[in-house]
Amino acid sequence: MAGDLRRRLRRIEKAAGLSLVLGISVGYVVFYGVFPSSSVPVSGDASFAWILCVLVGAALVVGFAAEDIPLAMLSAFLSVPVALVVSTAMGLSPALAGLYVVEPSEVPFFLLHYGLAIFALGFLVNVVVTLVGCALRERFLRRVYRRSLSGTASRK
Amino acid sequence: MRDLRAALRPENLPGVFVAVVAGFLGTLVVASAADYVSLAQAHTLPSFAVVRRIEFVGTEGSGALAENGSVGFTLLLRVDNPSRRVLAFEQVAYKAWIEDGPMEAGLSNLGRTDDLLVNQTGTHWFYLAFLGSQELTGNRIPAGGNGSVSLAFTLAKSNDSVRFEAVRNITVYSVARGRSPSTIPWNVWVLVSLQIDGVPAPTSPTAADYLRQTTRVVLQEGLNLGG
């Protein structure tokens, strides 16, 4: 009973950690897409290739780290509010430094207005690519397991 | 060493990858937020001061502007930049109005159009004597420093006879009322745009307006009577 609860808690903890990584990646690309001239890397226009690279890279690694598909999906869904919080916090960073360029209450709506397409793309990539990451994990671990089995057999 | 080897065991690799990606993303987020804060500082912190001098050159014995005289208008623009970004003067737009005594006295057939200013002291008519804009290149304002630009303009019969005659008429009227032309009130409005260093302008024709506006700071002083 206690072991089951502990396993569940560890799973929730892992989902929270993975959704944090996915949320940070989406939050960052939303901010970068809305303010490309005040982001790192700085550019006049947002680069779609860079946005895709960040999203796919993060989702692939999260999928690879997720133990199974339900955990990967849970992380992808939980990443949505995290992304909103991250991009809003980035948009509010001047206010945190005591500068008010725009009304703080307008920042989330401004980011949603101009970054909605990137939010949607981020969610889609998170769902699809984490599944690909899960599949890669299966292959990788199977190969490692097979190698370790053959190593044990040859030693015998 | 043993810890590193244990961390790099195949079953731990996914966790290591996640930690590396999280660190990379965290760095991007912090660096972007810092960049955005510095841009916001460049938009909100600089202050702008204008020192202006207007003088009548070539006057008649009474003090009124002579027909072969001129009006000299000099502007000293000083920008204090406490932000972390380097700024560069880009463009200046200016307008200078002289209070039109004859118009306020209700004289007819003046043949000119004035701008109205209503304030606590009453209703005033101002004639637009100087206006224009000019590109400013090469003057940089360092981060945490200041920069200034001096501009000089001349109004004479040879370069704008209509405006010159109007100003001359106003000085003649002022002298006739026993007031020195140098005491006639002026209203000066100056707008200066400053380019923020390291903020590339969008190249896409469909880029949102706010992206074009973030590349420069626009500061102004005075009242623009013409709207």
Side-chain angles (χ1 to χ4, degrees):
Chain A
M1 186 71 179
D4 190 45
L5 187 69
R6 201 176 302 149
R7 209 175 56 234
R8 273 191 180 183
L9 276 175
R10 201 176 298 153
R11 225 173 129 72
I12 291 170
E13 200 178 288
K14 188 156 191 180
L18 295 179
S19 64
L20 200 66
V21 174
L22 289 179
I24 290 173
S25 77
V26 177
Y28 162 74
V29 293
V30 166
F31 182 82
Y32 167 78
V34 175
F35 299 110
S37 55
S38 44
S39 294
V40 172
V42 66
S43 59
D45 303 287
S47 158
F48 184 69
W50 174 246
I51 289 174
L52 214 57
C53 181
V54 170
L55 288 175
V56 169
L60 207 59
V61 167
V62 165
F64 195 68
E67 280 156 16
D68 46 47
I69 290 173
L71 188 69
M73 289 298 98
L74 183 66
S75 305
F77 277 90
L78 283 178
S79 72
V80 176
V82 177
L84 199 61
V85 169
V86 169
S87 59
T88 304
M90 289 177 79
L92 282 172
S93 52
L96 299 174
L99 299 164
Y100 291 91
V101 185
V102 286
E103 195 66 31
S105 60
E106 288 175 13
V107 172
F109 302 103
F110 184 85
L111 286 163
L112 265 179
H113 177 77
Y114 287 103
L116 191 62
I118 305 173
F119 260 119
L121 176 76
F123 178 68
L124 197 72
V125 168
N126 281 350
V127 168
V128 174
V129 179
T130 44
L131 290 179
V132 177
C134 279
L136 283 176
R137 178 194 167 92
E138 285 293 309
R139 276 188 162 197
F140 173 76
L141 288 183
R142 201 174 292 161
R143 194 179 301 169
V144 168
Y145 184 62
R146 212 176 283 158
R147 201 178 296 161
S148 67
L149 269 185
S150 63
T152 325
S154 65
R155 247 179 278 144
K156 276 180 183 174
Chain B
M1 192 67 190
R2 200 179 293 165
D3 287 348
L4 183 70
R5 207 172 288 164
L8 292 177
R9 268 161 48 189
E11 61 270 27
N12 291 336
L13 273 184
V16 173
F17 287 157
V18 169
V20 169
V21 168
F24 176 66
L25 290 172
T27 307
L28 285 177
V29 166
V30 171
S32 296
D35 205 47
Y36 186 50
V37 170
S38 78
L39 188 68
Q41 282 180 330
H43 273 274
T44 50
L45 297 182
S47 59
F48 174 48
V50 180
V51 178
R52 51 116 166 151
R53 209 175 79 209
I54 296 162
E55 59 179 347
F56 297 103
V57 181
T59 52
E60 292 169 350
S62 60
L65 192 61
E67 205 164 333
N68 60 355
S70 63
V71 187
F73 174 45
T74 54
L75 282 173
L76 179 71
L77 316 176
R78 184 192 151 102
V79 174
D80 285 312
N81 175 26
S83 78
R84 285 182 283 149
R85 297 282 188 128
V86 174
L87 305 175
F89 282 102
E90 187 184 40
Q91 205 166 33
V92 62
Y94 59 90
K95 289 180 185 176
W97 292 260
I98 183 170
E99 186 165 14
D100 195 341
M103 178 70 97
E104 287 174 2
L107 300 183
S108 55
N109 300 326
L110 292 171
R112 56 181 180 247
T113 310
D114 281 10
D115 292 306
L116 183 67
L117 170 67
V118 181
N119 58 17
Q120 297 96 325
T121 58
T123 302
H124 306 271
W125 290 95
F126 278 85
Y127 178 74
L128 185 58
F130 290 92
L131 81 157
S133 63
Q134 194 173 312
E135 295 228 347
L136 305 167
T137 48
N139 294 64
R140 291 167 75 81
I141 307 157
N146 60 65
S148 55
V149 164
S150 183
L151 303 162
F153 312 99
T154 305
L155 177 66
K157 195 166 188 175
S158 56
N159 61 27
D160 194 338
S161 64
V162 175
R163 287 185 201 282
F164 177 78
E165 282 304 334
V167 173
R168 201 169 93 82
N169 173 256
I170 291 166
T171 63
V172 168
Y173 178 82
S174 175
V175 168
R177 296 293 303 265
R179 277 177 63 190
S180 166
S182 60
T183 62
I184 303 173
W186 286 77
N187 178 63
V188 176
W189 169 81
V190 181
L191 178 141
V192 67
S193 78
L194 310 159
Q195 215 158 22
I196 306 171
D197 197 48
V199 183
T203 51
S204 166
T206 56
D209 279 345
Y210 74 88
L211 282 176
R212 295 182 203 288
Q213 288 161 8
T214 50
T215 61
R216 59 177 53 83
V217 186
V218 177
L219 303 168
Q220 58 177 312
E221 200 183 90
L223 200 60
N224 186 6
L225 296 179

